Amino acid sequence: MDVAAVIFDMDGTLAETEHVWDRVREDLARARGGRWTDRAHTDMMGMSSPEWTGYMHAELGVPMTPDEIRDEVVARLLERYRADPPFLPGAVAAVRRMAREYPCAIASSSNREIIAAMIDLGGLGDVLPQYVASEEVARGKPFPDVYVEAARRLGHDPAACVAVE
């Protein structure tokens, strides 16, 4: 099979961000009078924005609307990423190398604003014109919806694309 395109995950693949997400969400939950459980991180891993904000509101008791939770978490993440972009060593160069051969995109559980900021911080706008956040599709990871949509936006059959997760 010929490869038509390459679709990258972002968190944990191109950037070391999982611990930042954990810290930001835990700090917000505690600061706003919610609670944090030992399994909260694992439960939210891969969830789309509507899923994890609903979880924080309903399961962790954060007394904010899901939209307010999302906005606050995104603002805190952007502040941290802009101060110290968390790219993994060689990640930006690897995307550039792949983009010389194949159309590339990002498919991520992060919010669109976060993905756009990371593309900008890495100077990758010219090689990553397409990106999809799981908040834009019906189901978050581990379902393939975000990858299928990224392939569609690139104009390729998902079966002909390579996903880097």
Side-chain angles (χ1 to χ4, degrees):
M1 174 189 84
D2 290 328
V3 173
V6 177
I7 304 169
F8 293 92
D9 174 43
M10 189 175 75
D11 300 294
T13 302
L14 299 179
E16 188 59 58
T17 56
E18 292 292 339
H19 69 284
V20 182
W21 276 91
D22 287 346
R23 177 87 282 150
V24 165
R25 290 191 287 209
E26 181 177 354
D27 288 351
L28 177 65
R30 292 182 190 282
R32 300 301 169 123
R35 62 193 166 280
W36 192 256
T37 67
D38 291 340
R39 68 175 214 269
H41 166 69
T42 304
D43 286 352
M44 289 189 281
M45 190 175 286
M47 285 184 176
S48 68
S49 181
E51 293 167 330
W52 65 256
T53 57
Y55 178 93
M56 287 186 70
H57 177 74
E59 300 297 322
L60 301 179
V62 177
M64 301 165 70
T65 68
D67 286 347
E68 291 169 333
I69 293 168
R70 179 201 60 231
D71 292 349
E72 183 70 22
V73 168
V74 167
R76 290 177 183 208
L77 287 168
L78 288 173
E79 182 180 325
R80 289 184 185 207
Y81 292 172
R82 287 183 178 128
D84 185 20
F87 288 105
L88 288 165
V92 170
V95 170
R96 288 204 165 279
R97 275 194 309 279
M98 286 293 106
R100 285 196 294 267
E101 300 290 327
Y102 307 101
C104 292
I106 287 181
S108 176
S109 294
S110 282
N111 301 68
R112 278 195 66 79
E113 302 97 323
I114 299 291
I115 301 167
M118 291 297 288
I119 289 170
D120 185 53
L121 290 166
L124 294 168
D126 60 322
V127 297
L128 290 170
Q130 295 295 331
Y131 56 96
V132 181
S134 63
E135 65 192 350
E136 300 175 80
V137 296
R139 301 173 299 175
K141 294 178 183 180
F143 296 100
D145 301 26
V146 70
Y147 286 101
V148 171
E149 178 61 17
R152 187 195 68 74
R153 290 184 189 181
L154 289 172
H156 294 288
D157 178 355
C161 298
V162 171
V164 181
E165 173 75 34

